Amino acid sequence: MRVSRQILAAAKPHTYISKLHSKSAAGQEGLVAAARRNASYAASLHAALSNPPLDMGVSPFDLIKTDLKHMTGSLKSLVQSDHPVLTTVAEYLLCGSEGKRIRPSLVLLMARACSNGAEPNHNQQRLAEITEMIHTASLLHDDVVDLSDTRRGQPTAHVNFGNKVAILGGDFLLARSSIQLARLKNVEVVEIMSMVIEDLVKGEIMQMRDTWECVSSLDHYMEKTFNKTGSLIAHSCKASAILGSHDVETCLLYTSPSPRDS
């Protein structure tokens, strides 16, 4: 597996639990227990990052507070369109009801970690924005597929604008993120981030279509969760290191080589 199994399973343990049916009681109980352990691990990880030990001296997120503050305005400028409907639906989740910005935060923190604390360069900052655009596009699509009514405490985009507009809004965000990727003028980064979009689609299909035998497999869950969640995080962090012109060993710190990378 390309990233930590514990972290992958921690991403959406309750979704996994909800898919367990009344088959193989012993095996089911084991999987439920594992999912709950991963949920506990995720909570502990979040608490450790939010309240670091005294000897660290600073929360990691304090290091990028200024970068994140400017991100909303920058994202808003990147999704302006001559068609007001596209702009409105693109801004709805991206700027209107901001999430935790975990993915761009990790991109920016990776940039600093690889450079002994130096500020991210322009391309790394733009990569963080691209990562958030791709993530938001996937949310717009997922909410339609999952028939979700709310997101971040507000009505989902498809509830407000309709399914077609929400899907096209997601497509528009992917298109704009692709344009910004091309402008980074780094072929390796373009390839890495393009694979992420493929993984997102593959993960959603795995969640929707696979049989009970597949869904009840922990290995299947790990692969599905990597595709839907882990791939964007792992590969955007790798791309951040590449854009910092670091050596291959540094770029592979958090993404071990996969068959696609060979």
Side-chain angles (χ1 to χ4, degrees):
M1 189 60 62
R2 288 167 284 183
V3 296
S4 167
R5 286 194 169 199
Q6 265 190 316
I7 293 176
L8 291 185
K12 292 186 178 179
H14 301 296
T15 301
Y16 187 52
I17 293 173
S18 69
K19 293 180 180 297
L20 299 174
H21 306 298
S22 57
K23 294 185 178 182
S24 182
Q28 177 179 329
E29 290 176 4
L31 291 174
V32 171
R36 285 174 176 161
R37 285 196 301 272
N38 286 320
S40 176
Y41 174 81
S44 299
L45 179 62
H46 182 270
L49 289 174
S50 300
N51 302 287
L54 292 177
D55 57 356
M56 286 181 63
V58 64
S59 165
F61 296 103
D62 286 342
L63 297 173
I64 55 171
K65 187 183 297 184
T66 302
D67 298 324
L68 292 177
K69 184 177 180 180
H70 296 308
M71 181 173 289
T72 297
S74 182
L75 285 170
K76 192 168 185 176
S77 69
L78 292 177
V79 297
Q80 296 305 300
S81 167
D82 54 5
H83 199 297
V85 173
L86 278 178
T87 301
T88 300
V89 70
E91 289 180 351
Y92 184 70
L93 271 184
L94 194 65
C95 308
S97 57
E98 297 176 18
K100 298 179 289 294
R101 303 280 203 231
I102 291 294
R103 290 154 187 82
S105 294
L106 290 173
V107 171
L108 295 169
L109 287 170
M110 177 62 73
R112 286 179 176 271
C114 293
S115 302
N116 295 320
E119 291 187 1
N121 61 41
H122 172 75
N123 282 350
Q124 289 169 321
Q125 291 172 334
R126 184 49 48 87
L127 175 67
E129 295 159 2
I130 290 167
T131 299
E132 186 68 2
M133 291 168 71
I134 293 173
H135 172 58
T136 304
S138 75
L139 297 183
L140 289 171
H141 290 161
D142 284 359
D143 286 342
V144 174
V145 173
D146 299 337
L147 303 177
S148 301
D149 293 327
T150 59
R151 167 76 65 180
R152 298 170 183 167
Q154 297 187 12
T156 50
H158 72 88
V159 169
N160 273 356
F161 307 109
N163 286 352
K164 292 180 180 179
V165 172
I167 290 170
L168 290 171
D171 293 345
F172 173 66
L173 282 176
L174 289 176
R176 282 296 171 92
S177 67
S178 298
I179 291 171
Q180 296 304 318
L181 266 177
R183 288 176 178 169
L184 295 178
K185 300 186 185 302
N186 187 302
V187 175
E188 187 177 3
V189 168
V190 171
E191 181 181 2
I192 289 171
M193 299 303 291
S194 297
M195 290 191 299
V196 167
I197 298 174
E198 177 186 347
D199 285 342
L200 286 169
V201 177
K202 197 159 52 176
E204 189 62 36
I205 290 293
M206 288 178 70
Q207 180 168 292
M208 290 170 50
R209 297 291 184 183
D210 283 351
T211 62
W212 159 250
E213 286 74 15
C214 288
V215 170
S216 61
S217 162
L218 189 57
D219 285 339
H220 175 277
Y221 173 69
M222 294 298 184
E223 183 179 355
K224 182 268 296 180
T225 306
F226 176 81
N227 287 333
K228 288 197 65 174
T229 304
S231 178
L232 179 58
I233 294 172
H235 288 103
S236 59
C237 285
K238 178 180 178 180
S240 180
I242 292 171
L243 291 173
S245 301
H246 299 292
D247 56 44
V248 174
E249 184 178 354
T250 301
C251 295
L252 291 176
L253 278 174
Y254 290 94
T255 52
S256 58
S258 69
R260 293 185 311 187
D261 299 327
S262 57

